[in-house]
Short mmCIF file of all heavy atoms in Angstrom, two decimals:
data_model
loop_
_atom_site.label_atom_id
_atom_site.label_comp_id
_atom_site.label_asym_id
_atom_site.label_seq_id
_atom_site.Cartn_x
_atom_site.Cartn_y
_atom_site.Cartn_z
N GLU A 1 -6.83 26.85 -1.71
CA GLU A 1 -6.03 25.97 -0.78
C GLU A 1 -5.94 24.46 -1.28
O GLU A 1 -5.19 23.79 -0.73
CB GLU A 1 -6.53 25.96 0.66
CG GLU A 1 -7.91 25.30 0.82
CD GLU A 1 -9.12 26.00 0.34
OE1 GLU A 1 -8.92 27.19 0.00
OE2 GLU A 1 -10.18 25.46 0.32
N VAL A 2 -6.75 24.25 -2.38
CA VAL A 2 -6.68 22.83 -2.83
C VAL A 2 -5.44 22.36 -3.59
O VAL A 2 -4.82 23.31 -4.11
CB VAL A 2 -7.95 22.53 -3.67
CG1 VAL A 2 -9.28 22.84 -2.92
CG2 VAL A 2 -7.82 23.31 -4.98
N GLU A 3 -5.12 21.16 -3.65
CA GLU A 3 -3.95 20.64 -4.41
C GLU A 3 -4.21 20.79 -5.94
O GLU A 3 -5.18 20.22 -6.45
CB GLU A 3 -3.65 19.28 -3.98
CG GLU A 3 -2.44 18.67 -4.53
CD GLU A 3 -2.18 17.32 -4.20
OE1 GLU A 3 -2.82 16.75 -3.19
OE2 GLU A 3 -1.27 16.63 -4.73
N ILE A 4 -3.23 21.31 -6.56
CA ILE A 4 -3.35 21.52 -7.94
C ILE A 4 -2.82 20.15 -8.71
O ILE A 4 -1.76 19.60 -8.32
CB ILE A 4 -2.39 22.70 -8.47
CG1 ILE A 4 -3.00 24.09 -7.86
CG2 ILE A 4 -2.44 22.84 -10.05
CD1 ILE A 4 -4.36 24.25 -8.17
N ASP A 5 -3.56 19.74 -9.65
CA ASP A 5 -3.24 18.47 -10.37
C ASP A 5 -3.43 18.79 -11.90
O ASP A 5 -4.43 18.28 -12.45
CB ASP A 5 -4.14 17.37 -9.85
CG ASP A 5 -3.69 16.02 -10.46
OD1 ASP A 5 -2.80 15.98 -11.19
OD2 ASP A 5 -4.39 15.03 -10.12
N LEU A 6 -2.50 19.39 -12.53
CA LEU A 6 -2.51 19.69 -13.90
C LEU A 6 -2.59 18.42 -14.74
O LEU A 6 -3.15 18.37 -15.88
CB LEU A 6 -1.41 20.56 -14.33
CG LEU A 6 -1.56 22.04 -14.04
CD1 LEU A 6 -0.18 22.81 -14.28
CD2 LEU A 6 -2.62 22.54 -15.03
N ALA A 7 -1.94 17.28 -14.28
CA ALA A 7 -1.98 16.04 -14.96
C ALA A 7 -3.39 15.52 -15.23
O ALA A 7 -3.78 15.00 -16.25
CB ALA A 7 -1.10 14.97 -14.27
N LYS A 8 -4.30 15.76 -14.16
CA LYS A 8 -5.64 15.28 -14.28
C LYS A 8 -6.41 16.08 -15.35
O LYS A 8 -7.15 15.52 -16.13
CB LYS A 8 -6.36 15.48 -12.90
CG LYS A 8 -7.78 15.06 -12.95
CD LYS A 8 -7.96 13.56 -13.18
CE LYS A 8 -7.43 12.73 -12.20
NZ LYS A 8 -8.12 12.71 -10.86
N ALA A 9 -6.10 17.42 -15.30
CA ALA A 9 -6.78 18.24 -16.41
C ALA A 9 -6.36 17.89 -17.73
O ALA A 9 -7.14 17.69 -18.69
CB ALA A 9 -6.42 19.82 -16.13
N ARG A 10 -5.06 17.51 -17.88
CA ARG A 10 -4.56 17.11 -19.26
C ARG A 10 -5.20 15.81 -19.64
O ARG A 10 -5.40 15.48 -20.87
CB ARG A 10 -3.11 17.12 -19.24
CG ARG A 10 -2.43 18.50 -19.03
CD ARG A 10 -0.88 18.43 -19.27
NE ARG A 10 -0.31 19.75 -18.95
CZ ARG A 10 0.43 19.95 -17.85
NH1 ARG A 10 0.67 18.97 -16.89
NH2 ARG A 10 1.00 21.16 -17.63
N LYS A 11 -5.31 14.97 -18.64
CA LYS A 11 -5.94 13.62 -18.88
C LYS A 11 -7.28 13.72 -19.44
O LYS A 11 -7.73 13.05 -20.43
CB LYS A 11 -5.92 12.79 -17.55
CG LYS A 11 -6.68 11.49 -17.67
CD LYS A 11 -6.65 10.86 -16.38
CE LYS A 11 -7.50 9.54 -16.30
NZ LYS A 11 -7.66 8.97 -14.96
N TYR A 12 -8.05 14.67 -18.80
CA TYR A 12 -9.50 14.90 -19.32
C TYR A 12 -9.51 15.39 -20.78
O TYR A 12 -10.22 15.00 -21.60
CB TYR A 12 -10.21 15.82 -18.36
CG TYR A 12 -10.63 15.30 -17.04
CD1 TYR A 12 -10.95 16.13 -15.98
CD2 TYR A 12 -10.57 13.91 -16.81
CE1 TYR A 12 -11.41 15.65 -14.72
CE2 TYR A 12 -10.94 13.47 -15.52
CZ TYR A 12 -11.27 14.21 -14.51
OH TYR A 12 -11.68 13.76 -13.33
N VAL A 13 -8.61 16.32 -21.04
CA VAL A 13 -8.50 16.91 -22.40
C VAL A 13 -8.17 15.73 -23.39
O VAL A 13 -8.75 15.66 -24.48
CB VAL A 13 -7.48 18.01 -22.43
CG1 VAL A 13 -7.18 18.42 -23.91
CG2 VAL A 13 -7.90 19.23 -21.63
N ALA A 14 -7.21 14.93 -23.02
CA ALA A 14 -6.85 13.79 -23.94
C ALA A 14 -7.95 12.88 -24.14
O ALA A 14 -8.18 12.40 -25.33
CB ALA A 14 -5.57 13.03 -23.21
N LEU A 15 -8.76 12.57 -23.02
CA LEU A 15 -9.87 11.69 -23.30
C LEU A 15 -10.95 12.27 -24.23
O LEU A 15 -11.54 11.64 -25.10
CB LEU A 15 -10.60 11.42 -21.90
CG LEU A 15 -9.81 10.54 -20.96
CD1 LEU A 15 -10.54 10.54 -19.57
CD2 LEU A 15 -9.79 9.12 -21.51
N GLY A 16 -11.14 13.60 -24.03
CA GLY A 16 -12.06 14.27 -24.98
C GLY A 16 -11.46 14.21 -26.48
O GLY A 16 -12.36 13.98 -27.42
N LEU A 17 -10.27 14.45 -26.69
CA LEU A 17 -9.68 14.44 -28.01
C LEU A 17 -9.76 13.06 -28.60
O LEU A 17 -10.01 12.96 -29.83
CB LEU A 17 -8.19 14.93 -27.92
CG LEU A 17 -8.04 16.39 -27.60
CD1 LEU A 17 -6.53 16.71 -27.48
CD2 LEU A 17 -8.64 17.36 -28.69
N ILE A 18 -9.51 11.98 -27.95
CA ILE A 18 -9.58 10.66 -28.34
C ILE A 18 -10.94 10.37 -28.82
O ILE A 18 -11.21 9.75 -29.83
CB ILE A 18 -9.05 9.63 -27.32
CG1 ILE A 18 -7.51 9.86 -27.08
CG2 ILE A 18 -9.45 8.23 -27.62
CD1 ILE A 18 -7.01 9.00 -25.91
N SER A 19 -11.98 10.86 -27.96
CA SER A 19 -13.41 10.56 -28.32
C SER A 19 -13.73 11.31 -29.57
O SER A 19 -14.49 10.82 -30.48
CB SER A 19 -14.28 10.97 -27.19
OG SER A 19 -15.54 10.65 -27.46
N TYR A 20 -13.29 12.62 -29.73
CA TYR A 20 -13.66 13.43 -30.91
C TYR A 20 -13.07 12.96 -32.19
O TYR A 20 -13.78 12.91 -33.20
CB TYR A 20 -13.22 14.88 -30.54
CG TYR A 20 -13.68 15.81 -31.64
CD1 TYR A 20 -15.00 16.30 -31.72
CD2 TYR A 20 -12.74 16.36 -32.62
CE1 TYR A 20 -15.35 17.24 -32.69
CE2 TYR A 20 -13.18 17.29 -33.55
CZ TYR A 20 -14.42 17.64 -33.63
OH TYR A 20 -14.73 18.55 -34.48
N PHE A 21 -11.79 12.57 -32.14
CA PHE A 21 -11.14 12.20 -33.35
C PHE A 21 -11.11 10.78 -33.73
O PHE A 21 -11.04 10.39 -34.86
CB PHE A 21 -9.56 12.75 -33.29
CG PHE A 21 -9.41 14.16 -33.44
CD1 PHE A 21 -9.20 14.91 -32.35
CD2 PHE A 21 -9.63 14.76 -34.64
CE1 PHE A 21 -9.08 16.36 -32.50
CE2 PHE A 21 -9.49 16.23 -34.75
CZ PHE A 21 -9.24 16.97 -33.62
N ILE A 22 -11.28 9.87 -32.66
CA ILE A 22 -11.23 8.48 -33.04
C ILE A 22 -12.50 7.71 -32.73
O ILE A 22 -13.03 7.04 -33.64
CB ILE A 22 -10.18 7.80 -32.09
CG1 ILE A 22 -8.82 8.42 -32.45
CG2 ILE A 22 -10.05 6.22 -32.30
CD1 ILE A 22 -7.61 7.89 -31.58
N LEU A 23 -13.19 7.95 -31.63
CA LEU A 23 -14.51 7.22 -31.28
C LEU A 23 -15.54 7.73 -31.99
O LEU A 23 -16.44 6.87 -32.43
CB LEU A 23 -14.63 7.26 -29.73
CG LEU A 23 -13.60 6.65 -28.81
CD1 LEU A 23 -14.01 6.77 -27.40
CD2 LEU A 23 -13.35 5.27 -29.17
N ALA A 24 -15.73 9.07 -32.11
CA ALA A 24 -16.95 9.60 -32.76
C ALA A 24 -17.03 9.13 -34.24
O ALA A 24 -18.13 8.75 -34.61
CB ALA A 24 -16.93 11.21 -32.66
N PRO A 25 -16.06 9.14 -35.00
CA PRO A 25 -16.24 8.65 -36.42
C PRO A 25 -16.18 7.23 -36.57
O PRO A 25 -16.45 6.62 -37.70
CB PRO A 25 -14.89 9.25 -37.09
CG PRO A 25 -14.00 9.72 -36.06
CD PRO A 25 -14.70 9.73 -34.78
N THR A 26 -15.94 6.47 -35.51
CA THR A 26 -15.96 4.89 -35.57
C THR A 26 -17.16 4.41 -34.74
O THR A 26 -18.17 4.13 -35.31
CB THR A 26 -14.65 4.37 -35.11
OG1 THR A 26 -14.32 4.84 -33.83
CG2 THR A 26 -13.58 4.78 -36.10
N VAL A 27 -16.96 4.28 -33.45
CA VAL A 27 -17.86 3.69 -32.57
C VAL A 27 -19.25 4.62 -32.60
O VAL A 27 -20.30 4.14 -32.55
CB VAL A 27 -17.43 3.68 -31.06
CG1 VAL A 27 -18.54 3.23 -30.10
CG2 VAL A 27 -16.25 2.75 -31.01
N GLY A 28 -19.07 5.92 -32.75
CA GLY A 28 -20.12 6.87 -32.76
C GLY A 28 -21.13 6.72 -33.95
O GLY A 28 -22.27 7.23 -33.95
#
């Protein structure tokens, strides 16, 4: 019965990809 928010799920994926491909090899 909860409200579906696919945009939030995609936002989380995008944050993870940014961290993996950009932050990990630099800031990491």
Side-chain angles (χ1 to χ4, degrees):
E1 71 284 354
V2 303
E3 182 181 352
I4 299 300
D5 187 2
L6 278 169
K8 180 60 68 66
R10 296 190 185 103
K11 173 184 174 182
Y12 287 167
V13 173
L15 285 173
L17 291 175
I18 290 171
S19 181
Y20 183 76
F21 286 105
I22 299 176
L23 298 182
T26 55
V27 177

